[in-house]
Amino acid sequence: MTSKISCFDRAVFRRALKKTAPVWILYTLYELLLPLRLFSFCRGLSSGADNYIVQIEKTLLSYARFNASIVPFLLGGLLAWVLFSWLFRTNSAYFYAALPVRRRTLFLTNYLTGLLLCAAPALVSSLLLWAVGAGFGVSAFLPAMQVFAATAMGFLLFFSFASLVCMVVGQMAAAPLVYGMLNFAAYVLESIVQHLMQTFVYGMPAILI
């Protein structure tokens, strides 16, 4: 009878949690500050103000832009660099290769650990954002879940790309440089495409005519 192939190893998971503890602790503190910011904003906003509900929802959704770009870029790159740092040194690579763990299990455990370390604090933060809004009479469940979805999708993109860079480059100092340069190149390319589309497809803006 063949043994069951596992895609998750508890020992590797616990080791990954210890290695990345400073990163996910700081990220969790950042996520918990968002409900406090919303609470402070709502306290300073009069319930009789114009567009009271709209202002709270816009403030809540304003967190999504930063959480889907800068935060996942930094967090995803740093987590991937730490989780797959054993690839950067010969001794650690031999050590992990000698473990009675399949390569597939080793990769999936580290990858799923990174996703969990982002998704769990982001989900808790979004639920707290919803609770704060509800406490001030605004049912903001959908905007709160949109913040969570933006954070999760942004992290999935950057973390997956950073993991690929770490595995392909396999060098401690070069991996962050390649990761940063490729993301910068993608930003520049997107800006050029947007400019070309704006000029030749959608038409030049009226201010330039």
Side-chain angles (χ1 to χ4, degrees), residues 79-96:
L79 274 179
W81 188 77
V82 176
L83 287 171
F84 295 98
S85 61
W86 56 274
L87 294 171
F88 302 149
R89 296 185 298 273
T90 304
N91 293 336
S92 60
Y94 285 163
F95 169 77
Y96 276 93

Side-chain angles (χ1 to χ4, degrees), residues 100-130:
V101 180
R102 292 176 179 268
R103 300 289 179 85
R104 174 172 50 189
T105 303
L106 185 59
F107 168 76
L108 288 176
T109 301
N110 285 306
Y111 186 76
L112 294 176
T113 300
L115 296 182
L116 176 64
L117 294 179
C118 170
L123 180 59
V124 172
S125 176
S126 296
L127 292 176
L128 289 176
L129 288 172
W130 172 43

Side-chain angles (χ1 to χ4, degrees), residues 12-187:
V12 176
F13 173 69
R14 288 193 296 267
R15 186 179 178 86
L17 284 181
K18 292 180 181 179
K19 288 173 59 178
T20 59
V23 181
W24 59 261
I25 288 175
L26 289 177
Y27 172 66
T28 302
L29 292 176
Y30 161 77
E31 287 290 344
L32 293 179
L33 285 177
L34 295 181
L36 294 178
R37 288 181 58 187
L38 183 63
F39 179 79
S40 177
F41 173 80
C42 292
R43 285 193 61 184
L45 187 65
S46 174
S47 59
D50 296 335
N51 299 325
Y52 173 74
I53 297 177
V54 175
Q55 290 188 47
I56 293 179
E57 290 184 347
K58 282 186 176 180
T59 302
L60 199 155
L61 289 173
S62 66
Y63 303 149
R65 183 176 182 180
F66 191 75
N67 277 22
S69 55
I70 305 299
V71 172
F73 169 74
L74 297 175
L75 178 67
L78 189 56
L79 274 179
W81 188 77
V82 176
L83 287 171
F84 295 98
S85 61
W86 56 274
L87 294 171
F88 302 149
R89 296 185 298 273
T90 304
N91 293 336
S92 60
Y94 285 163
F95 169 77
Y96 276 93
L99 293 176
V101 180
R102 292 176 179 268
R103 300 289 179 85
R104 174 172 50 189
T105 303
L106 185 59
F107 168 76
L108 288 176
T109 301
N110 285 306
Y111 186 76
L112 294 176
T113 300
L115 296 182
L116 176 64
L117 294 179
C118 170
L123 180 59
V124 172
S125 176
S126 296
L127 292 176
L128 289 176
L129 288 172
W130 172 43
V132 170
F136 285 90
V138 178
S139 179
F141 180 76
L142 183 58
M145 291 300 103
Q146 288 176 338
V147 174
F148 169 70
T151 305
M153 288 188 291
F155 180 81
L156 180 63
L157 171 65
F158 285 106
F159 178 67
S160 300
F161 181 66
S163 300
L164 177 63
V165 169
C166 289
M167 288 186 290
V168 171
V169 175
Q171 213 281 333
M172 182 175 292
L177 294 177
V178 173
Y179 173 71
M181 288 188 296
L182 289 179
N183 277 284
F184 179 73
Y187 171 76

